Amino acid sequence: MACDQTLNPGANVALAVANAAPGTTICLNSGSYGTVVLDNIQKASPVTLQSTAGTGASIALTTSRLNRLAFKNLTITSFSNVDADTTPLTKNISILDSRFTGQALLRMGTTPAANILIDNCTFDN
């Protein structure tokens, strides 16, 4: 996918995702982005967050109340989605072609038909 915006380590990834227009692809240059907290981000069509080279961008994700986000070609050092039983709840999320090096926790509350896809990923720990 072509990049609509490219970020370097140290950039505010959460702000870029929150402000991205629906259908945008945000690319991350190789390096560590630390912990990124994404909360209550609702998009009309998917916003994609992906590495520019292989799985060179490393990120720890803490999420809740997301709709229509995709994560691709990332090294995910930890992933935690914790939805309480409030609305909106997380749904329509894809994690593709990525490498998990830490724990993945999906606490979805009572989300009906959450539509969470984790595909072609490796789990190294």
Side-chain angles (χ1 to χ4, degrees):
M1 251 180 219
C3 302
D4 297 301
Q5 180 179 8
T6 302
L7 303 177
N8 291 311
N12 189 331
V13 175
L15 184 63
V17 172
N19 291 335
T24 297
T25 297
I26 300 170
C27 294
L28 304 178
N29 284 321
S30 293
S32 177
Y33 289 81
T35 299
V36 174
V37 178
L38 302 174
D39 180 43
N40 198 23
I41 299 173
Q42 308 289 310
K43 300 295 180 177
S45 62
V47 168
T48 301
L49 186 65
Q50 70 180 30
S51 182
T52 57
T55 56
S58 174
I59 191 168
L61 289 168
T62 300
T63 65
S64 61
R65 302 181 298 159
L66 302 181
N67 189 16
R68 294 188 182 92
L69 269 81
F71 305 95
K72 188 173 181 183
N73 297 328
L74 299 170
T75 295
I76 300 172
T77 60
S78 67
F79 179 80
S80 177
N81 185 88
V82 181
D83 280 345
D85 287 329
T86 59
T87 56
L89 295 172
T90 296
K91 58 186 177 180
N92 304 310
I93 303 300
S94 299
I95 304 173
L96 309 169
D97 307 317
S98 293
R99 178 177 167 243
F100 286 83
T101 60
Q103 183 178 18
L105 170 68
L106 295 168
R107 188 169 297 145
M108 303 304 295
T110 57
T111 306
N115 194 29
I116 307 297
L117 173 67
I118 299 174
D119 192 32
N120 201 35
C121 295
T122 60
F123 291 83
D124 291 343
N125 281 326

